[in-house]
Amino acid sequence: MRRILVIGGGYAGFYTAWKLERWLKPGEAEVTIVDPRPYMTYQPFLPEVAAGSVEARHASISLRSHLRRTRILAGWVTEIRHAEKRVTVRPLAGEEFDLGYDIVVVTAGAVTRTFPIPGIADQAIGMKHVEEAVAIRDRLLTAFDRASVLPPGPERRRLLTVTFVGGGFSGVEGFGELLSLATSLLRSYPELTFADLSFHLVEALGRILPEVTDEPGRWVVRSLEERGARVHLDTQLVSAVDGHVVLSNGEEFDSELIVWTAGNGANPVVSRHSDLPIDARGLLMVRADLRVGTEEEPVADAWGAGDDAAVPDLASPIPGARTVPNAQHAVRQGKRLAANLVATLHGEEPKPYVHSSLGVVATLGLGRGIFQYKGIVIRGFPAWVMHRGYHVLAIPTWERKIRVLAVWATAVLTGRDIVSLASVQRPRHEFVTGGAPDAR
């Protein structure tokens, strides 16, 4: 049997393995997927996980539950040596080992892009994984509990100050959803007022949401500001030491919660620990048919897709354009990659990946959203309904669709669940201390 190795279990990797299971004949190939997490995260739901509108586990798709004929290895690929057709795997437990393959599919995804800003490594939380979204939610809910027993003053203000760095889709959606949650929490905390809340969105460029045109982007800024938020455009974060935020526009304030969503960076296993060709940004060079290489020089038995690959965008009128790193492309690239790989195994020619954008849609909080398809722009509640409708259809498996719909339906009657489980990060505390209060 041919040994097919899939590096990464995100959108592109999961869909590649899922479709290979359906389209490969029994005994035709052995598929192995390597990823440190035992699930695929449906990232468009992370803002709603942070806001408590979607349960964390419902935004995660178990690899073992849905990839029944695929070997799952829990660990990281730390080096790709395609000349030898071997990789180095660092498992979650045990010693590193080499793993051979006949065909490699590189779908390792991107990593959170950070900068050497003082305090960021110690204070900020990303929002790329479900654990981070849960931590953001718990941190905000715990801050409300702590602030509610304090008199008005700097400490209460610090606890209820939230700062998001990055005005792309994940930053704006997370910011809008958390602002919506915080505003709704005031009904349960009579000790606190709207004036106690302080929400800041920091963006280095002169606009947010680069995927939409200028006017919808300005409307989103106005909408957030009308809800009491501060949007700092053309502004950079200078320092965040001990939660004290310093901005390039001269403003300073203390912030209990700092969320970093300032874009993606190249995956180091692709950009620094592989002999496969990469471009100037450290992304895997991929042909239109998703084989690694250039149109003139394909690399045999190597494929790539997703956020770690520079995939030609044949639907774009701009020569040399590459597909943007989003779920819409990664899912479809995974399906096309699997179909092309199977075709080559059967002696057929692979087809190029072509996908015209279905538009962009974003949630800005409960009942608020923005949608744009070419010149068509929809704002407010209808766009929010479209956001939920699209993503409940897009999330893999009927089981997950049903679970998400059930939570949304329940929330209509009972509202959001506002219980913080921050203590889960210290599961032995009560056992060790015997229930004694924390030291001040």
Side-chain angles (χ1 to χ4, degrees):
M1 289 194 298
R2 302 277 278 174
R3 298 169 300 169
I4 301 174
L5 175 63
V6 181
I7 301 174
Y11 293 110
F14 173 81
Y15 273 92
T16 296
W18 202 21
K19 295 304 180 181
L20 285 175
E21 286 193 357
R22 292 184 57 188
W23 296 334
L24 287 172
K25 300 173 184 177
E28 188 173 9
E30 175 189 79
V31 181
T32 299
I33 191 167
V34 181
D35 196 281
R37 289 179 170 81
Y39 53 82
M40 183 206 90
T41 300
Y42 189 73
Q43 292 182 349
F45 275 156
L46 292 187
E48 293 201 60
V49 170
S53 298
V54 172
E55 288 296 321
R57 285 183 174 85
H58 298 171
S60 307
I61 315 300
S62 169
L63 299 181
R64 293 185 183 274
S65 294
H66 300 288
L67 301 178
R68 301 297 181 85
R69 294 165 48 201
T70 298
R71 181 188 179 198
I72 311 293
L73 289 182
W76 297 264
V77 169
T78 59
E79 185 180 14
I80 304 171
R81 303 186 301 280
H82 189 64
E84 305 171 23
K85 291 196 173 180
R86 301 187 72 81
V87 298
T88 301
V89 177
R90 180 181 299 165
L92 294 182
E95 299 295 323
E96 287 190 354
F97 60 89
D98 281 359
L99 181 66
Y101 61 81
D102 297 307
I103 299 170
V104 67
V105 177
V106 184
T107 54
V111 298
T112 300
R113 181 183 61 185
T114 58
F115 299 96
I117 298 173
I120 279 296
D122 300 320
Q123 300 294 326
I125 302 176
M127 203 170 70
K128 196 173 184 64
H129 302 291
V130 69
E131 300 93 339
E132 294 171 322
V134 171
I136 290 168
R137 177 175 181 267
D138 287 342
R139 182 79 66 87
L140 181 68
L141 294 172
T142 301
F144 265 75
D145 286 330
R146 293 169 61 190
S148 66
V149 297
L150 293 174
E155 180 61 12
R156 178 194 274 192
R157 184 74 169 177
R158 180 187 69 82
L159 286 169
L160 299 179
T161 297
V162 174
T163 305
F164 271 67
V165 183
F169 254 75
S170 60
V172 171
E173 287 190 310
F175 185 77
E177 284 285 350
L178 222 61
L179 176 60
S180 176
L181 171 62
T183 304
S184 69
L185 283 173
L186 293 174
R187 293 192 295 269
S188 301
Y189 290 85
E191 307 90 347
L192 305 176
T193 68
F194 184 79
D196 292 317
L197 301 181
S198 183
F199 272 69
H200 299 263
L201 177 62
V202 181
E203 170 53 48
L205 301 179
R207 53 162 300 173
I208 61 174
L209 294 179
E211 295 87 348
V212 303
T213 53
D214 290 345
E215 178 50 36
R218 288 192 290 267
W219 177 85
V220 172
V221 171
R222 293 196 300 270
S223 174
L224 292 173
E225 290 178 338
E226 288 169 0
R227 293 160 60 189
R230 292 282 308 280
V231 180
H232 306 268
L233 300 178
D234 292 315
T235 304
Q236 297 179 0
L237 178 66
V238 176
S239 174
V241 176
D242 296 327
H244 182 71
V245 173
V246 180
L247 302 180
S248 61
N249 62 8
E251 292 190 48
E252 299 184 26
F253 50 87
D254 293 324
S255 182
E256 171 68 7
L257 178 59
I258 301 173
V259 183
W260 182 271
T261 61
N264 295 326
N267 194 303
V269 72
V270 174
S271 61
R272 298 198 295 270
H273 304 291
S274 168
D275 58 357
L276 293 170
I278 59 173
D279 67 6
R281 297 174 296 166
L283 299 178
L284 193 67
M285 293 179 65
V286 174
R287 296 156 42 104
D289 60 11
L290 303 179
R291 286 185 287 185
V292 173
T294 64
E295 293 302 319
E296 297 76 22
E297 295 185 49
V299 177
D301 299 322
W303 302 75
D307 292 357
D308 64 356
V311 180
D313 189 354
L314 300 186
S316 172
I318 303 173
R322 297 292 185 263
T323 59
V324 296
N326 62 22
Q328 194 175 135
H329 281 297
V331 167
R332 289 165 176 81
Q333 287 171 11
K335 295 177 180 179
R336 171 46 52 197
L337 193 158
N340 282 353
L341 201 163
V342 172
T344 59
L345 290 178
H346 295 166
E348 302 169 6
E349 286 297 313
K351 297 178 181 179
Y353 170 75
V354 184
H355 171 65
S356 298
S357 174
L358 301 176
V360 291
V361 62
T363 174
L364 303 175
L366 198 62
R368 299 177 174 90
I370 181 78
F371 167 83
Q372 181 172 17
Y373 176 70
K374 297 182 179 179
I376 302 172
V377 178
I378 300 174
R379 305 177 177 91
F381 183 77
W384 176 78
V385 172
M386 294 172 67
H387 173 273
R388 285 201 161 184
Y390 172 78
H391 286 299
V392 80
L393 291 174
I395 190 170
T397 80
W398 279 103
E399 174 255 344
R400 279 297 183 259
K401 299 179 197 295
I402 293 169
R403 288 182 185 274
V404 170
L405 285 171
V407 171
W408 284 342
T410 303
V412 172
L413 301 175
T414 63
R416 307 183 207 236
D417 192 331
I418 62 171
V419 175
S420 169
L421 294 178
S423 58
V424 76
Q425 300 172 32
R426 300 188 301 164
R428 298 183 65 250
H429 177 72
E430 292 289 326
F431 175 74
V432 172
T433 64
D438 288 342
R440 292 185 181 277

